[in-house]
């Protein structure tokens, strides 16, 4: 069985569903997700995992979890947090 993945939604928040294949056996979860979501850094993936936004077979696991064939991985990527820029009054000389 080969691993496959699909993006559930093209709008924020994003959700990715993957199923691990035989060739993914033993790979760390953060590396597996990084290969499926190259736009995410491993650090971001580890944070998402700690927040419970990456699930394996419906359960929370650590980023170091070793993927098994048939594992169903769900990655929930929340929208980026808006960055508020506050103007500062500067004297012009």
């Amino acid at each position: 069985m080969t691993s496959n993945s699909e993006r559930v939604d093209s709008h924020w928040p994003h959700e990715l569903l993957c199923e691990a294949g035989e060739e993914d056996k033993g790979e760390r979860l953060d590396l597996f997700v990084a290969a499926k979501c190259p736009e995410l850094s491993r650090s971001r993936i580890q944070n998402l995992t700690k927040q419970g936004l990456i699930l394996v077979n419906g359960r929370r696991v650590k980023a170091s979890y070793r993927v098994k064939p048939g594992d169903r991985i769900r990655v929930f990527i929340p929208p980026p947090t808006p960055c508020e820029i506050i103007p500062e009054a500067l004297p012009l000389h």
Side-chain angles (χ1 to χ4, degrees):
M1 173 190 267
T2 61
S3 65
N4 57 41
S5 63
E6 63 178 277
R7 293 220 186 250
V8 174
D9 191 358
S10 62
H11 298 96
W12 290 104
H14 291 299
E15 189 172 3
L16 175 73
L17 302 173
C18 306
E19 185 172 330
E22 191 64 40
E23 70 280 1
D24 302 311
K25 182 180 180 178
E27 187 171 15
R28 282 177 55 109
L29 177 63
D30 55 351
L31 293 174
F32 176 84
V33 173
K36 302 296 181 189
C37 300
E39 68 275 11
L40 297 176
S41 68
R42 275 187 65 201
S43 175
R44 177 78 169 127
I45 292 166
Q46 290 168 350
N47 285 329
L48 291 173
T49 304
K50 286 178 188 174
Q51 294 171 25
L53 298 176
I54 298 179
L55 303 175
V56 177
N57 302 320
R59 295 184 174 171
R60 291 176 77 159
V61 295
K62 294 182 178 182
S64 60
Y65 172 84
R66 299 290 177 167
V67 175
K68 298 177 195 111
D71 277 349
R72 296 182 53 80
I73 294 103
R74 175 176 239 122
V75 181
F76 180 79
I77 306 168
T81 51
C83 180
E84 185 176 337
I85 299 174
I86 301 171
E88 182 179 339
L90 298 174
L92 300 175
H93 296 276

